[in-house]
Amino acid sequence: MKKILTFIAALLISIGVSAQENQVKRIPGKGYDPNQQQYSQFERSVWFSAEVLGGVSCHLRGHNMGLAEVDFTVGYRFSQYLKVGVGIGPRYYIDQGPLRRSDIKWGMPLFATVRGNLIPGLYRTVVPYWGIEAGASVRDGAFFRPTLGLRIGEPRNAFTIGISYMGQDIATYNSRLEKTCKYTSFACLRLGYEF
Protein backbone atom coordinates (compact mmCIF):
# COMPACT_ATOMS: atom_id res chain seq x y z
CA MET A 1 0.00 0.00 0.00
CA LYS A 2 2.88 2.37 0.80
CA LYS A 3 4.29 1.77 -2.69
CA ILE A 4 0.99 2.71 -4.32
CA LEU A 5 0.62 5.86 -2.21
CA THR A 6 4.25 6.84 -2.92
CA PHE A 7 3.69 6.29 -6.66
CA ILE A 8 0.46 8.40 -6.66
CA ALA A 9 2.19 11.19 -4.68
CA ALA A 10 5.14 11.20 -7.11
CA LEU A 11 2.74 11.26 -10.06
CA LEU A 12 0.77 14.21 -8.63
CA ILE A 13 3.96 16.13 -7.88
CA SER A 14 5.31 15.57 -11.42
CA ILE A 15 1.98 16.68 -12.96
CA GLY A 16 2.02 19.81 -10.79
CA VAL A 17 5.62 20.62 -11.70
CA SER A 18 4.99 20.16 -15.44
CA ALA A 19 1.87 22.35 -15.23
CA GLN A 20 3.91 25.08 -13.57
CA GLU A 21 6.69 24.68 -16.15
CA ASN A 22 4.24 25.65 -18.91
CA GLN A 23 3.32 28.82 -17.04
CA VAL A 24 6.89 29.98 -16.42
CA LYS A 25 7.63 33.11 -18.43
CA ARG A 26 10.81 32.87 -20.40
CA ILE A 27 13.22 35.76 -20.47
CA PRO A 28 13.48 36.98 -24.07
CA GLY A 29 16.81 37.14 -25.83
CA LYS A 30 18.75 40.40 -26.08
CA GLY A 31 17.21 42.86 -28.55
CA TYR A 32 13.79 41.20 -28.61
CA ASP A 33 10.75 43.48 -28.36
CA PRO A 34 7.36 41.70 -28.50
CA ASN A 35 5.63 44.93 -29.55
CA GLN A 36 8.03 45.68 -32.40
CA GLN A 37 6.77 44.77 -35.87
CA GLN A 38 8.81 44.36 -39.02
CA TYR A 39 7.47 46.79 -41.65
CA SER A 40 9.07 44.63 -44.32
CA GLN A 41 6.52 41.90 -43.57
CA PHE A 42 3.56 44.20 -44.24
CA GLU A 43 1.82 43.88 -47.59
CA ARG A 44 0.50 47.46 -47.36
CA SER A 45 2.69 50.33 -46.18
CA VAL A 46 4.86 53.26 -47.24
CA TRP A 47 7.68 52.60 -49.74
CA PHE A 48 10.72 54.62 -50.84
CA SER A 49 12.97 54.54 -53.89
CA ALA A 50 16.19 56.24 -54.98
CA GLU A 51 17.30 55.84 -58.62
CA VAL A 52 20.01 57.06 -60.98
CA LEU A 53 18.98 57.44 -64.61
CA GLY A 54 21.06 58.08 -67.72
CA GLY A 55 19.84 58.42 -71.27
CA VAL A 56 20.31 59.79 -74.76
CA SER A 57 17.88 61.31 -77.25
CA CYS A 58 16.93 59.24 -80.29
CA HIS A 59 17.14 61.56 -83.32
CA LEU A 60 18.14 59.68 -86.44
CA ARG A 61 19.26 62.91 -88.12
CA GLY A 62 20.68 65.96 -86.44
CA HIS A 63 21.94 66.63 -82.97
CA ASN A 64 21.43 64.26 -80.00
CA MET A 65 21.85 65.09 -76.34
CA GLY A 66 22.24 63.07 -73.17
CA LEU A 67 20.81 63.43 -69.71
CA ALA A 68 21.60 62.25 -66.19
CA GLU A 69 19.03 62.28 -63.40
CA VAL A 70 18.73 61.26 -59.74
CA ASP A 71 15.16 60.53 -58.60
CA PHE A 72 13.73 60.20 -55.10
CA THR A 73 10.26 58.66 -54.78
CA VAL A 74 7.90 58.11 -51.85
CA GLY A 75 4.54 56.42 -52.05
CA TYR A 76 2.15 53.79 -50.78
CA ARG A 77 2.33 50.07 -51.50
CA PHE A 78 -1.10 48.45 -51.90
CA SER A 79 0.41 45.06 -52.81
CA GLN A 80 3.46 43.71 -54.60
CA TYR A 81 1.57 44.29 -57.85
CA LEU A 82 0.61 47.94 -57.26
CA LYS A 83 2.58 50.84 -55.76
CA VAL A 84 1.81 54.53 -56.31
CA GLY A 85 3.93 57.52 -55.43
CA VAL A 86 5.36 60.93 -56.24
CA GLY A 87 8.93 61.80 -57.04
CA ILE A 88 11.37 64.61 -57.66
CA GLY A 89 14.99 64.76 -58.72
CA PRO A 90 17.55 66.99 -60.39
CA ARG A 91 18.29 66.42 -64.09
CA TYR A 92 21.42 67.49 -65.98
CA TYR A 93 21.44 67.79 -69.79
CA ILE A 94 24.67 66.76 -71.52
CA ASP A 95 25.64 68.44 -74.80
CA GLN A 96 22.23 70.01 -75.27
CA GLY A 97 23.47 72.13 -78.20
CA PRO A 98 20.66 73.63 -80.30
CA LEU A 99 17.95 71.31 -78.92
CA ARG A 100 17.01 73.39 -75.86
CA ARG A 101 16.43 77.14 -75.80
CA SER A 102 17.87 77.49 -72.29
CA ASP A 103 21.57 77.93 -71.58
CA ILE A 104 20.93 76.40 -68.16
CA LYS A 105 21.68 72.70 -68.33
CA TRP A 106 19.72 71.81 -65.18
CA GLY A 107 16.08 70.76 -64.93
CA MET A 108 13.86 69.63 -62.06
CA PRO A 109 11.27 66.99 -62.96
CA LEU A 110 8.30 66.40 -60.66
CA PHE A 111 6.25 63.29 -61.41
CA ALA A 112 3.68 60.72 -60.30
CA THR A 113 4.52 57.05 -60.58
CA VAL A 114 2.71 53.72 -60.63
CA ARG A 115 4.66 50.44 -60.55
CA GLY A 116 4.43 46.81 -59.54
CA ASN A 117 5.73 43.28 -60.01
CA LEU A 118 4.78 41.25 -63.07
CA ILE A 119 4.93 37.92 -61.15
CA PRO A 120 4.76 37.06 -57.42
CA GLY A 121 7.97 37.93 -55.60
CA LEU A 122 7.49 36.19 -52.27
CA TYR A 123 9.87 33.27 -52.89
CA ARG A 124 11.97 34.77 -55.69
CA THR A 125 15.04 36.96 -55.46
CA VAL A 126 14.77 38.23 -59.09
CA VAL A 127 11.37 39.53 -60.20
CA PRO A 128 10.44 41.50 -63.35
CA TYR A 129 8.64 44.79 -62.71
CA TRP A 130 6.83 47.50 -64.68
CA GLY A 131 6.52 51.21 -64.04
CA ILE A 132 4.90 54.31 -65.54
CA GLU A 133 5.85 57.88 -64.65
CA ALA A 134 4.20 61.07 -65.85
CA GLY A 135 5.03 64.64 -64.90
CA ALA A 136 6.69 67.85 -65.97
CA SER A 137 10.15 69.34 -65.81
CA VAL A 138 11.05 72.92 -64.95
CA ARG A 139 12.25 74.86 -68.08
CA ASP A 140 10.83 72.16 -70.36
CA GLY A 141 7.42 70.53 -70.55
CA ALA A 142 5.51 67.38 -69.77
CA PHE A 143 7.10 63.95 -69.95
CA PHE A 144 5.97 60.33 -69.96
CA ARG A 145 8.29 57.46 -68.97
CA PRO A 146 7.27 53.75 -69.06
CA THR A 147 9.81 51.24 -67.67
CA LEU A 148 10.45 47.49 -67.71
CA GLY A 149 13.09 46.03 -65.43
CA LEU A 150 14.19 43.60 -62.74
CA ARG A 151 14.01 43.80 -58.94
CA ILE A 152 16.86 41.90 -57.27
CA GLY A 153 16.53 41.15 -53.56
CA GLU A 154 13.79 40.68 -50.98
CA PRO A 155 10.16 41.77 -51.44
CA ARG A 156 10.68 45.00 -49.42
CA ASN A 157 14.42 45.52 -49.89
CA ALA A 158 15.67 45.32 -53.48
CA PHE A 159 18.00 46.77 -56.08
CA THR A 160 16.38 47.68 -59.39
CA ILE A 161 17.65 47.83 -62.95
CA GLY A 162 15.43 48.91 -65.81
CA ILE A 163 15.15 50.25 -69.33
CA SER A 164 12.89 53.25 -69.95
CA TYR A 165 11.51 55.12 -72.90
CA MET A 166 10.99 58.80 -72.14
CA GLY A 167 8.98 61.18 -74.26
CA GLN A 168 9.71 64.79 -73.23
CA ASP A 169 8.49 68.14 -74.55
CA ILE A 170 11.70 70.16 -74.90
CA ALA A 171 11.53 73.94 -75.05
CA THR A 172 13.42 74.92 -78.22
CA TYR A 173 13.36 77.20 -81.30
CA ASN A 174 11.80 76.41 -84.66
CA SER A 175 13.35 77.21 -88.08
CA ARG A 176 12.17 80.86 -87.82
CA LEU A 177 13.86 81.19 -84.38
CA GLU A 178 10.50 81.31 -82.58
CA LYS A 179 10.16 79.65 -79.18
CA THR A 180 8.30 76.36 -79.37
CA CYS A 181 8.14 72.89 -77.81
CA LYS A 182 9.52 69.83 -79.58
CA TYR A 183 8.62 66.28 -78.58
CA THR A 184 11.87 64.37 -78.05
CA SER A 185 12.34 60.65 -77.42
CA PHE A 186 14.98 59.31 -75.04
CA ALA A 187 16.25 55.79 -74.33
CA CYS A 188 17.26 55.48 -70.66
CA LEU A 189 18.97 53.02 -68.32
CA ARG A 190 18.07 53.25 -64.63
CA LEU A 191 19.63 51.76 -61.50
CA GLY A 192 18.10 52.09 -58.07
CA TYR A 193 17.23 50.80 -54.64
CA GLU A 194 13.76 50.55 -53.12
CA PHE A 195 12.46 49.55 -49.72
Side-chain angles (χ1 to χ4, degrees):
M1 185 70 168
K2 286 184 178 182
K3 290 181 182 179
I4 293 174
L5 288 174
T6 306
F7 176 73
I8 292 173
L11 184 64
L12 291 174
I13 289 172
S14 66
I15 290 172
V17 168
S18 67
Q20 289 177 358
E21 175 66 24
N22 289 336
Q23 295 176 359
V24 172
K25 294 193 177 194
R26 307 246 185 259
I27 297 173
K30 187 175 181 180
Y32 174 76
D33 182 1
N35 297 320
Q36 183 178 6
Q37 297 177 338
Q38 291 287 340
Y39 88 95
S40 62
Q41 303 302 320
F42 295 156
E43 183 71 14
R44 295 172 169 243
S45 67
V46 176
W47 69 278
F48 301 92
S49 173
E51 294 178 298
V52 176
L53 181 140
V56 64
S57 61
C58 302
H59 294 128
L60 297 177
R61 294 185 305 261
H63 189 82
N64 281 304
M65 71 175 172
L67 63 86
E69 187 174 319
V70 178
D71 291 333
F72 301 98
T73 307
V74 62
Y76 189 78
R77 173 188 158 113
F78 292 97
S79 72
Q80 63 179 321
Y81 304 107
L82 180 63
K83 296 179 267 191
V84 297
V86 294
I88 191 169
R91 179 185 294 169
Y92 181 74
Y93 291 100
I94 302 164
D95 191 27
Q96 63 186 2
L99 289 180
R100 290 181 74 233
R101 71 175 173 223
S102 175
D103 290 336
I104 300 170
K105 295 184 177 186
W106 292 94
M108 184 63 70
L110 177 64
F111 56 90
T113 184
V114 178
R115 65 173 72 174
N117 291 350
L118 290 171
I119 61 174
L122 188 58
Y123 300 108
R124 296 177 174 95
T125 56
V126 178
V127 179
Y129 79 94
W130 60 274
I132 298 173
E133 296 169 349
S137 179
V138 175
R139 296 190 188 92
D140 287 311
F143 72 91
F144 175 73
R145 188 165 53 200
T147 301
L148 286 175
L150 295 174
R151 297 180 72 255
I152 303 164
E154 299 174 6
R156 296 300 307 270
N157 185 14
F159 291 98
T160 59
I161 181 169
I163 297 174
S164 296
Y165 163 81
M166 185 174 74
Q168 169 82 56
D169 278 335
I170 299 288
T172 186
Y173 294 98
N174 62 16
S175 59
R176 296 186 302 265
L177 297 178
E178 298 169 339
K179 293 182 179 180
T180 185
C181 282
K182 179 180 181 180
Y183 184 81
T184 305
S185 297
F186 290 86
C188 302
L189 175 69
R190 56 196 306 160
L191 303 170
Y193 175 74
E194 70 177 30
F195 58 95

